[in-house]
Amino acid sequence: MNNQGRATRAETNSASDAPTFTGNKALQIEEALSFEFGDFAGTGVDMPAPIGDVDRLGGLNRNSDIGLPGLSEPETMRHFVRLSQKNYAIDMGPFPLGSCTMKHNPRLNEKVARLPGFADLHPLAPESAVQGALELIDQLAFWLKELTGMPAVAMSPKAGAHGELCGMMAIKAALEARGEDKTRVRVLAPESSHGTNPATAVQCGFKVETIPADATGRVDLAALKEKLGPDVAGIMVTNPNTCGLFERDIRAIADAVHEAGGYFYCDGANFNAIAGKVRPGDLGVDAMHINLHKTFSTPHGGGGPGSGPTVLSDALAPFAPVPYVVQEDGKYSLVESRRAAKDEGDGHESLGRLTAFHGQMGMFVRALAYMLSHGKDGVRQAAEDAVLNANYVLARLKSEMTPAFEGYCMHEALFDDRFLKDTGVETIDFAKAMIDEGYHPMTMYFPLVVHGAMLIEPTESESKRELDQFCDALLSLAKRAKSGDVASFKAAPVYAPRRRLDETAAARKPVLRWTPEEPAKAAE
Ligand SMILES: *Cc1c(COP(=O)(O)O)cnc(C)c1O
């Protein structure tokens, strides 16, 4: 049955084109689901039956099989290690995924985060027992405010998108306090914005309107001004934007929105390009999330973990969510509820609670370790090197590939698919061929403002040697595409554990649950 299961999977996924008996390709082991090879009657632990049969479960005993595959410890270890080896990781090679800032995660951060005093904390421990942890949150908050030039920060949001939710809820609360939440219903967002921006605005009950980009890939200021009015709650603008460009008119944008009575939400996911160089507070920002997992280097990918502290202007600070850390006479405590906040005459307009506890403590530790080990000059240099690396990639690739816009970029280089015109090769084929070359593909088809987008963000972590090899590989692929070798691109990847998957079906009809085979079939 096990082998049958494998064969079926191999056929449907074209998984195993390896000419080996096992289906393995050298050290790439074909791995079935634990449900497919586990023994449902077995268990990995061997314990004597309990003595006596006192039933303390009040009749709630399980009356069916638990339905989990029984694996021994070595089987379990191997299963998960093999699965982990199918994963590409920043610890294996460059991860040029634009907009994601996949930089190296210094081991020092990991070491500090694993100190038992941080790692073993319980979120319900009494304040007196966790003074150090509260001080750490407070210190990190201090540096985030310092770096952004903003007066307040909400630490609890657990991702960039969650920080957007926090910021937009603060805007909503501020409008409510002004009695304008029913009339200011529109939020403006540029065409190039990250999908989370309009999604957040809609989640908060706003109507989203798109601002077109101008010919240089930036917000069209005139078009923006035309859309402003007494029904606008605010704008959501990413800076540097998702084309990898600094919004030169950012001050004019902020002023125009403020004049119209709206708020300026800045998506700060790309803060890595400007940290230590530009303070968003000086640009007129009212709220901005910072992706600690991007800019301040904590491991992320595949959807988590994340941490999205959100800085707030004076106008929005009163609406910050609880809990937050306060310090009095060297003693730290948490304001946990709106009522408690009201009693102290502070934060009574808080929008409430966004998460069960205080935020992502492990990521706070890593982010502060990163900041303190880099120092002021180091954070600034990281931003400068990130921009330098992206411009190096842009300069090296532009002989064969087509940059989407003229001029220098910030931390990421955006190409469109004009260089593939009439080759039969599309952006997706190009990306798949990169997998065979041992690279994680760049971000594809985003932002939407250019055709067949390829967004490359090398980050400051890559050495010149690494960048050169990456650029050489891409240049050779571009030349190969232009030479008429469509077939090899359409077949790629040929060396990966899985070839082309039906990505539409995977998105539209994901199979997220293993279901047992029919008993009759299983018994055969
Ligand atoms: C990553 C990113 C986000 C979302 O952040 P998450 O932590 O993934 O929720 C939002 N906007 C931009 C521009 C991003 O790059």
Short mmCIF file of all heavy atoms in Angstrom, two decimals, residues 415 417 426-431 442-455 503:
data_model
loop_
_atom_site.label_atom_id
_atom_site.label_comp_id
_atom_site.label_asym_id
_atom_site.label_seq_id
_atom_site.Cartn_x
_atom_site.Cartn_y
_atom_site.Cartn_z
N PHE A 415 12.63 44.67 -13.16
CA PHE A 415 12.73 44.45 -14.60
C PHE A 415 11.35 44.06 -15.11
O PHE A 415 10.52 43.52 -14.36
CB PHE A 415 13.71 43.31 -14.90
CG PHE A 415 15.12 43.63 -14.48
CD1 PHE A 415 15.55 43.36 -13.18
CD2 PHE A 415 16.01 44.23 -15.35
CE1 PHE A 415 16.83 43.67 -12.76
CE2 PHE A 415 17.31 44.56 -14.94
CZ PHE A 415 17.72 44.28 -13.65
N ASP A 417 9.29 42.31 -18.81
CA ASP A 417 9.59 41.17 -19.69
C ASP A 417 9.83 41.59 -21.15
O ASP A 417 9.75 40.76 -22.05
CB ASP A 417 8.50 40.11 -19.58
CG ASP A 417 7.13 40.63 -20.01
OD1 ASP A 417 7.04 41.81 -20.43
OD2 ASP A 417 6.15 39.87 -19.94
N GLU A 426 8.36 33.17 -21.03
CA GLU A 426 7.67 34.16 -20.21
C GLU A 426 8.37 34.28 -18.85
O GLU A 426 9.19 33.44 -18.50
CB GLU A 426 6.21 33.75 -20.01
CG GLU A 426 5.41 33.77 -21.30
CD GLU A 426 4.04 33.14 -21.12
OE1 GLU A 426 3.31 33.58 -20.21
OE2 GLU A 426 3.73 32.19 -21.86
N THR A 427 7.97 35.29 -18.12
CA THR A 427 8.56 35.52 -16.80
C THR A 427 8.58 34.25 -15.96
O THR A 427 9.59 33.91 -15.34
CB THR A 427 7.78 36.64 -16.07
OG1 THR A 427 8.00 37.86 -16.76
CG2 THR A 427 8.25 36.81 -14.63
N ILE A 428 7.47 33.52 -15.97
CA ILE A 428 7.41 32.32 -15.11
C ILE A 428 8.43 31.27 -15.56
O ILE A 428 9.05 30.61 -14.73
CB ILE A 428 5.98 31.72 -15.07
CG1 ILE A 428 5.94 30.54 -14.12
CG2 ILE A 428 5.50 31.27 -16.44
CD1 ILE A 428 4.83 30.53 -13.16
N ASP A 429 8.64 31.14 -16.88
CA ASP A 429 9.60 30.16 -17.38
C ASP A 429 11.02 30.55 -16.97
O ASP A 429 11.85 29.71 -16.61
CB ASP A 429 9.53 30.06 -18.91
CG ASP A 429 8.12 29.87 -19.40
OD1 ASP A 429 7.40 29.05 -18.79
OD2 ASP A 429 7.73 30.53 -20.38
N PHE A 430 11.27 31.85 -17.04
CA PHE A 430 12.58 32.38 -16.67
C PHE A 430 12.85 32.07 -15.19
O PHE A 430 13.92 31.61 -14.81
CB PHE A 430 12.60 33.89 -16.93
CG PHE A 430 13.97 34.49 -16.91
CD1 PHE A 430 14.78 34.43 -18.05
CD2 PHE A 430 14.46 35.12 -15.78
CE1 PHE A 430 16.05 34.99 -18.04
CE2 PHE A 430 15.73 35.68 -15.76
CZ PHE A 430 16.52 35.62 -16.90
N ALA A 431 11.82 32.28 -14.37
CA ALA A 431 11.96 32.04 -12.93
C ALA A 431 12.19 30.56 -12.66
O ALA A 431 13.01 30.18 -11.82
CB ALA A 431 10.72 32.53 -12.20
N MET A 442 13.23 35.39 -8.19
CA MET A 442 12.85 36.71 -7.69
C MET A 442 11.33 36.79 -7.61
O MET A 442 10.64 35.88 -8.04
CB MET A 442 13.39 37.81 -8.62
CG MET A 442 12.73 37.89 -9.98
SD MET A 442 13.06 36.53 -11.10
CE MET A 442 14.36 37.21 -12.08
N THR A 443 10.82 37.88 -7.09
CA THR A 443 9.37 38.09 -7.07
C THR A 443 8.89 38.29 -8.50
O THR A 443 9.49 39.05 -9.26
CB THR A 443 9.04 39.31 -6.19
OG1 THR A 443 9.33 38.95 -4.84
CG2 THR A 443 7.59 39.71 -6.30
N MET A 444 7.83 37.58 -8.86
CA MET A 444 7.34 37.64 -10.23
C MET A 444 5.96 38.30 -10.30
O MET A 444 5.16 38.14 -9.40
CB MET A 444 7.13 36.23 -10.78
CG MET A 444 8.35 35.41 -10.94
SD MET A 444 7.80 33.80 -11.55
CE MET A 444 7.01 33.13 -10.12
N TYR A 445 5.72 38.97 -11.41
CA TYR A 445 4.40 39.56 -11.71
C TYR A 445 3.94 40.52 -10.62
O TYR A 445 2.75 40.71 -10.40
CB TYR A 445 3.36 38.44 -11.94
CG TYR A 445 3.72 37.53 -13.08
CD1 TYR A 445 4.14 36.22 -12.87
CD2 TYR A 445 3.66 38.00 -14.40
CE1 TYR A 445 4.49 35.39 -13.92
CE2 TYR A 445 4.00 37.17 -15.47
CZ TYR A 445 4.42 35.87 -15.21
OH TYR A 445 4.76 35.05 -16.27
N PHE A 446 4.85 41.08 -9.87
CA PHE A 446 4.54 42.11 -8.88
C PHE A 446 5.73 43.07 -8.85
O PHE A 446 6.88 42.60 -8.85
CB PHE A 446 4.32 41.50 -7.49
CG PHE A 446 4.12 42.53 -6.42
CD1 PHE A 446 2.90 43.15 -6.25
CD2 PHE A 446 5.19 42.93 -5.62
CE1 PHE A 446 2.74 44.14 -5.28
CE2 PHE A 446 5.02 43.93 -4.66
CZ PHE A 446 3.80 44.52 -4.49
N PRO A 447 5.52 44.36 -8.82
CA PRO A 447 4.23 45.04 -8.82
C PRO A 447 3.52 44.96 -10.17
O PRO A 447 4.13 44.62 -11.19
CB PRO A 447 4.61 46.49 -8.52
CG PRO A 447 6.00 46.63 -9.05
CD PRO A 447 6.65 45.30 -8.84
N LEU A 448 2.21 45.29 -10.12
CA LEU A 448 1.37 45.10 -11.30
C LEU A 448 1.54 46.20 -12.33
O LEU A 448 1.00 46.11 -13.43
CB LEU A 448 -0.10 45.04 -10.86
CG LEU A 448 -0.41 43.98 -9.80
CD1 LEU A 448 -1.87 44.07 -9.35
CD2 LEU A 448 -0.10 42.58 -10.30
N VAL A 449 2.31 47.24 -12.00
CA VAL A 449 2.40 48.38 -12.92
C VAL A 449 3.27 48.12 -14.14
O VAL A 449 3.25 48.89 -15.08
CB VAL A 449 2.92 49.67 -12.21
CG1 VAL A 449 1.84 50.26 -11.34
CG2 VAL A 449 4.16 49.37 -11.39
N VAL A 450 4.05 47.03 -14.12
CA VAL A 450 4.83 46.72 -15.32
C VAL A 450 4.51 45.31 -15.77
O VAL A 450 4.09 44.47 -14.97
CB VAL A 450 6.36 46.87 -15.09
CG1 VAL A 450 6.70 48.26 -14.63
CG2 VAL A 450 6.90 45.83 -14.14
N HIS A 451 4.72 45.05 -17.07
CA HIS A 451 4.34 43.75 -17.62
C HIS A 451 5.37 42.67 -17.29
O HIS A 451 6.56 42.86 -17.49
CB HIS A 451 4.16 43.86 -19.14
CG HIS A 451 3.37 42.73 -19.70
ND1 HIS A 451 3.96 41.58 -20.18
CD2 HIS A 451 2.03 42.55 -19.81
CE1 HIS A 451 3.02 40.74 -20.58
NE2 HIS A 451 1.84 41.30 -20.36
N GLY A 452 4.88 41.54 -16.77
CA GLY A 452 5.76 40.40 -16.49
C GLY A 452 6.88 40.75 -15.51
O GLY A 452 8.03 40.35 -15.69
N ALA A 453 6.53 41.48 -14.46
CA ALA A 453 7.54 42.03 -13.54
C ALA A 453 8.46 40.97 -12.94
O ALA A 453 8.05 39.85 -12.65
CB ALA A 453 6.85 42.79 -12.41
N MET A 454 9.74 41.36 -12.77
CA MET A 454 10.73 40.56 -12.05
C MET A 454 11.41 41.52 -11.08
O MET A 454 12.11 42.44 -11.50
CB MET A 454 11.77 39.97 -13.00
CG MET A 454 11.17 39.00 -14.00
SD MET A 454 12.38 38.49 -15.22
CE MET A 454 11.31 38.39 -16.65
N LEU A 455 11.16 41.29 -9.80
CA LEU A 455 11.61 42.23 -8.78
C LEU A 455 12.71 41.56 -7.95
O LEU A 455 12.46 40.58 -7.25
CB LEU A 455 10.42 42.64 -7.91
CG LEU A 455 10.65 43.69 -6.83
CD1 LEU A 455 11.07 45.04 -7.44
CD2 LEU A 455 9.37 43.89 -6.01
N GLU A 503 -0.10 25.44 -10.71
CA GLU A 503 -0.17 26.48 -9.69
C GLU A 503 -1.57 27.06 -9.55
O GLU A 503 -1.97 27.50 -8.46
CB GLU A 503 0.86 27.57 -9.99
CG GLU A 503 2.26 27.01 -9.81
CD GLU A 503 3.38 27.95 -10.19
OE1 GLU A 503 3.10 29.11 -10.54
OE2 GLU A 503 4.54 27.51 -10.15
#
